[in-house]
Amino acid sequence: MFETVPFSQFVLKVHSRCDLACDHCYVYEHEDTSWGRKPRVAADEVLERTAGRIGEHARAHRLPAVHVVLHGGEPLLAGPERLRRAAELLRAALPAGCELDLRIHTNGVLLSRRFCELFAEQGIKVGVSLDGDRVANDRHRLFPDGRSSHAKVLAALALLREPEFRHLYAGLLCTIDVANDPVAVYEALAAEEPPRIDFLLPHATWDHPPARGADAGPTPYADWLLAVHRHWTERGRPVPVRLFDSVHRTLRGLTSLTESLGLGPADLVVVETDGTLEQADSLKTAYDGAPETGFTVFGHSFDQVAAHPGMVERQSGLAGLAAQCRACPVVRSCGGGLYAHRYRGDDGSGFRNPSVFCGDLLKLITTIRDRTAPAATVPAQDPSGAALTERQLDELAAGLGGADTVRALSAAQLGLTRRLVAAVGSASPAWGLVTSLDGADRAALSAVLAHPYVRAWAVRCLGGGAGADLGGMAEVAAAAALRARRSFELALPVRSGAVHLPTLGRVLVGGAGEAVLTGSPEGFEVGGVRVGRDAPGDGRWQPVRGVALPDGWTVALEDTDPQRDSHQWPVAERLDDAELHAWTGALQGAWELLRRDLPEYAPGLRAGLSTLTPLRPGPAGRDVSAAARQAYGAVGIARPTTAPTLALLLAHEFQHVKLGAVLDFHDLYDRADERLYHAPWRPDPRPLEGLLQGTYAHLAVAAYWASRVRALDGGPDGDNARVQLALWRSHTAGAIETLAGSGSLTPLGERFAAGMRTGLAPALAVPVGAAAERAAAEDAAANLAAWRERAAAARP
């Protein structure tokens, strides 16, 4: 049975009329006529009930954030007090830990300082519609008496660019008209210094196709957009363009940033001024009543709306597309185009058609793919294992590292693990099975060798003494052979009453010593426990469980591997079902926050983090987390109480993972330097590598708090976010200068320090206010005094 996706995006209509008469408007000029039957303004009871329903939905699905757009008509016609009321009700209704991303989409002609002051107070971001320069804009966006709206919109944008309101400026929305010059339109929009540009295809269906121009070729909209894309690329992509960024993302298998591309499930619902609940507004272009569900906020929950057949259809991904779309080579990027644009009523096929812009979308996506494909290659690892290009090293130096760069790190780490395991080699009786797998079944062996704790075992083994446990080789061999569906028989060690199979799980057999495992293509048997490939076995088989996240990413929750104690904090025991469920929800919430608020860090995290090891809670419930130098791809975390905290810990610890991998192949500092240095975030002196690791990790911490300031500004938690940002960016900036002035950095290390300055710059540019700066300075002074006291006490 198809499982519906909870809503996280809500469009709240606060006013149902407009002060412009745009002839391309889908609300008033297309097929749907319901606007004339709606109240002009959303009444208090509608706002109260809507806020309550959203809060109810957020609690039921443990949403880390909800996104609400105040819409119309023209929402500014509702007036400042009605908008204030809506914002206050929405914020009050949400459960603790659920953030409100509140925005308003406006034509801008009524935007005034009074509105902006209200939006700053309530944390409401502003998106403005503008179709280009005056000539382009006035083709469609006019007052009812024919006057131009262009000058008033430019005045509104000038207001949003003022320093006190700049943080409210969400971007520009531009509906394409192929009669307009594409480069001139882009330049006119870019001149308004928007944080983002949205190019929108005009709403059309097969019954009412889009205008294509008398002299246009078969794909005029693709040609128009590709002209913009080339111009935008040649100028270094100075402003994000949502459509182009979505094409780039979906071509790499990531989620789209817009509902008009990609196969991601629709998670949006519309609340009209009378409280009726509807599907996406764009459906108004299809036929009269197309978006209707028959539900209202007064009588129905959002879960009931999510089960509506129209909503389910828009969440069905590939299965919901026409056969022609499913066979298309770019379907995972295109996603069939906007749902409304597929409609055809004259033959009864409804929405089971390709987009009316099908040819345009195909040309747009394939051309962008071909323009950008050469940059997507990953360099092969050289014999020394130094797999990174100059560009990738610079990318990492700034604290980042995209998917390709982190995959190159992972490949280098796998090569290192192979050499370490080979060094243990023939001392183990299982070595012969390992070498036999390293041919036709190399992928199965690599999947096990890439497990973070296989390297941890090999390092311990090579260290000799109590760590020299050759039984781990048999565990590696057996796990790889089972993945390869080999038939074999092998004696494995019994540790604490269990037989362990790295990446797969453990079998509780009791006792100690050894147990013989017999493997076959159908499964395996050990200690009287039989586990089939299609049968889970009994409770004595405890598999490694993964948490499936958006973008096709699965993170292993590792609570079985005996080598997972590589972290500095005690590990948690096997998670019960309730704790597993709690971890699943926390990770899903944290990943959603990371994708939304730290998009420059998220792709690398997804590419390199394979394993999360649950730790025991810290003293007095303190949040604890760790990364182990010899366990690339894993972090250990004690589950925090909120998804935002988990997002912060993931970003912070994965910085240590990346830098440790770089240090395996590149010297950044003189290892003979045994001096201790001041780390601004702690009172005890640190060795140079400890200072470097902490500084690098805190680049992500500063970026995280910068995102919190942007998300929470005006909310009750905004003051704390500003203080935290001021604190961590100050700490990190000071540490970078300490590193640079140490005299112990190699030339590459000096380049890394310069890169870290560049990476910190965006966080330094976020205004936090004098109070937050003072709090940060006082904390830094207290830490410095404590460090000096300890340093003096340590001197002979």
Side-chain angles (χ1 to χ4, degrees):
M1 182 178 178
F2 182 76
E3 184 176 350
T4 59
V5 175
F7 297 117
S8 65
Q9 300 185 68
F10 304 85
V11 174
L12 174 56
K13 298 294 190 75
V14 291
H15 202 284
S16 66
R17 303 298 191 271
C18 190
D19 45 1
L20 292 185
C22 308
D23 60 12
H24 56 15
C25 180
Y26 61 88
V27 175
Y28 307 108
E29 302 294 335
H30 287 208
E31 299 303 304
D32 191 80
T33 61
S34 62
W35 64 271
R37 301 186 292 275
K38 305 293 185 190
R40 287 180 177 268
V41 184
D44 242 26
E45 54 267 28
V46 172
L47 298 180
E48 290 172 2
R49 197 64 184 128
T50 299
R53 290 294 191 191
I54 293 174
E56 169 188 84
H57 197 65
R59 275 186 292 274
H61 296 281
R62 304 179 66 187
L63 299 178
V66 295
H67 313 272
V68 181
V69 178
L70 304 176
H71 212 280
E74 170 46 52
L76 295 184
L77 287 171
E81 294 313 311
R82 185 98 310 235
L83 298 177
R84 181 193 303 277
R85 179 67 172 156
E88 291 173 346
L89 287 169
L90 288 164
R91 190 166 283 110
L94 291 180
C98 181
E99 297 175 17
L100 175 63
D101 176 17
L102 186 56
R103 297 171 183 252
I104 190 165
H105 285 178
T106 172
N107 60 37
V109 299
L110 291 178
L111 191 66
S112 64
R113 184 168 296 274
R114 182 184 178 193
F115 274 118
C116 287
E117 289 170 348
L118 167 67
F119 297 157
E121 172 194 328
Q122 295 295 327
I124 303 175
K125 302 292 179 65
V126 185
V128 179
S129 295
L130 179 68
D131 287 351
D133 56 20
R134 176 163 181 163
V135 171
N137 200 66
D138 288 357
R139 286 187 187 276
H140 305 285
R141 307 187 61 78
L142 300 170
F143 283 99
D145 60 4
R147 286 179 297 124
S148 170
S149 64
H150 190 254
K152 288 185 176 293
V153 179
L154 294 194
L157 296 176
L159 191 58
L160 285 174
R161 289 196 304 273
E162 291 186 7
E164 64 180 305
F165 302 132
R166 176 76 199 194
H167 66 287
L168 304 175
Y169 194 0
L172 297 177
L173 294 84
C174 171
T175 299
I176 298 166
D177 186 328
V178 292
N180 293 324
D181 179 271
V183 173
V185 166
Y186 168 79
E187 287 293 346
L189 298 177
E192 300 305 318
E193 301 176 17
R196 183 186 295 277
I197 295 173
D198 256 352
F199 286 113
L200 309 176
L201 292 169
H203 287 313
T205 66
W206 289 102
D207 294 342
H208 300 284
R212 295 193 177 273
D215 301 322
T219 55
Y221 289 91
D223 298 337
W224 195 96
L225 284 165
L226 288 169
V228 175
H229 182 267
R230 183 174 296 283
H231 185 75
W232 174 70
T233 303
E234 288 171 349
R235 277 149 184 74
R237 303 179 183 181
V239 56
V241 175
R242 192 189 302 267
L243 182 62
F244 299 155
D245 290 341
S246 293
V247 173
H248 289 302
R249 287 174 58 85
T250 54
L251 285 171
R252 300 197 309 271
L254 303 177
T255 55
S256 174
L257 303 173
T258 170
E259 66 170 327
S260 61
L261 290 174
L263 289 171
D267 62 350
L268 177 146
V269 63
V270 178
V271 184
E272 288 283 355
T273 54
D274 59 356
T276 54
L277 296 169
E278 295 191 346
Q279 302 175 64
D281 241 20
S282 56
L283 288 175
K284 294 180 185 293
T285 199
Y287 59 88
D288 200 9
E292 293 176 1
T293 65
F295 298 134
T296 74
V297 292
F298 300 104
H300 305 91
S301 69
F302 283 121
D303 279 344
Q304 288 174 286
V305 184
H308 183 275
M311 292 291 190
V312 172
E313 177 72 13
R314 294 177 60 240
Q315 293 186 351
S316 57
L318 194 64
L321 300 182
Q324 179 181 336
C325 292
R326 295 196 300 271
C328 178
V330 299
V331 64
R332 296 193 178 277
S333 182
C334 169
L338 191 70
Y339 189 74
H341 296 172
R342 307 174 200 169
Y343 183 74
R344 184 165 195 157
D346 58 4
D347 65 357
S349 58
F351 295 96
R352 283 290 176 128
N353 299 287
S355 169
V356 72
F357 294 99
C358 177
D360 294 281
L361 292 171
L362 178 62
K363 182 174 182 179
L364 176 69
I365 293 167
T366 56
T367 303
I368 290 177
R369 179 199 64 196
D370 295 342
R371 286 177 180 176
T372 58
T377 57
V378 180
Q381 183 176 341
D382 69 26
S384 70
L388 300 177
T389 65
E390 297 289 301
R391 177 189 63 79
Q392 289 172 329
L393 281 168
D394 287 340
E395 186 180 340
L396 287 163
L400 305 176
D404 287 348
T405 297
V406 174
R407 279 194 287 266
L409 275 182
S410 301
Q413 289 292 303
L414 177 58
L416 179 56
T417 300
R418 281 181 167 275
R419 293 194 292 276
L420 292 169
V421 171
V424 177
S426 58
S428 167
W431 180 243
L433 179 56
V434 172
T435 56
S436 73
L437 288 162
D438 202 15
D441 297 316
R442 186 179 178 88
L445 178 62
S446 292
V448 177
L449 294 179
H451 184 50
Y453 300 117
V454 167
R455 173 171 165 184
W457 159 77
V459 170
R460 287 174 173 174
C461 233
L462 293 169
D469 175 13
L470 299 181
M473 187 71 79
E475 294 167 338
V476 168
L482 288 171
R483 284 178 170 274
R485 298 182 178 241
R486 290 274 195 101
S487 294
F488 67 98
E489 190 174 278
L490 194 63
L492 272 66
V494 177
R495 308 177 193 273
S496 302
V499 169
H500 296 266
L501 297 164
T503 73
L504 299 179
R506 69 185 179 191
V507 185
L508 304 180
V509 298
E514 290 186 337
V516 175
L517 184 146
T518 303
S520 71
E522 290 72 41
F524 68 92
E525 183 173 358
V526 62
V529 180
R530 177 159 187 79
V531 179
R533 292 193 177 276
D534 300 320
D538 58 26
R540 291 176 290 175
W541 167 236
Q542 296 182 338
V544 175
R545 295 165 296 187
V547 176
L549 300 170
D551 298 340
W553 182 29
T554 298
V555 177
L557 278 177
E558 181 56 85
D559 56 5
T560 66
D561 197 294
Q563 310 296 335
R564 73 188 191 279
D565 63 354
S566 302
H567 304 285
Q568 67 194 72
W569 297 96
V571 298
E573 296 303 321
R574 177 75 170 178
L575 303 179
D576 60 26
D577 289 344
E579 188 63 9
L580 176 64
H581 179 74
W583 263 111
T584 299
L587 275 170
Q588 289 172 340
W591 178 233
E592 181 63 30
L593 285 171
L594 287 165
R595 288 197 305 160
R596 187 192 71 193
D597 292 343
L598 288 177
E600 65 276 34
Y601 284 82
L605 187 71
R606 180 191 185 280
L609 182 65
S610 64
T611 304
L612 192 154
T613 296
L615 304 177
R616 295 179 192 171
R622 170 186 165 194
D623 291 324
V624 296
S625 61
R629 177 66 178 275
Q630 303 300 346
Y632 175 84
V635 299
I637 296 177
R639 183 174 62 81
T641 55
T642 68
T645 301
L646 180 56
L648 171 59
L649 296 177
L650 287 168
H652 172 269
E653 294 302 341
F654 193 66
Q655 292 292 95
H656 289 304
V657 172
K658 289 188 296 187
L659 184 57
V662 170
L663 290 172
D664 280 336
F665 297 107
H666 300 279
D667 287 326
L668 302 184
Y669 65 94
D670 180 1
R671 296 178 188 273
D673 185 349
E674 296 181 352
R675 291 175 293 172
L676 297 179
Y677 293 84
H678 171 51
W681 49 86
R682 56 191 298 168
D684 54 319
R686 302 292 292 156
L688 193 60
E689 181 174 346
L691 179 62
L692 176 60
Q693 282 278 4
T695 306
Y696 192 77
H698 291 138
L699 290 173
V701 174
Y704 170 87
W705 285 114
S707 77
R708 295 293 83 205
V709 168
R710 289 189 289 267
L712 298 172
D713 196 21
D717 296 324
D719 288 344
N720 177 60
R722 284 188 287 274
V723 171
Q724 293 296 327
L725 173 58
L727 187 68
W728 288 109
R729 72 187 186 183
S730 173
H731 285 346
T732 309
I736 291 172
E737 298 315 312
T738 299
L739 288 165
S742 69
S744 291
L745 297 185
T746 65
L748 181 58
E750 291 173 351
R751 186 165 149 191
F752 240 71
M756 287 193 287
R757 286 193 197 95
T758 300
L760 186 63
L764 289 170
V766 177
V768 296
E773 296 286 11
R774 281 195 303 272
E778 290 167 3
D779 185 272
N783 271 345
L784 180 58
W787 174 79
R788 285 173 173 163
E789 182 178 337
R790 287 200 180 196
R795 285 196 288 268

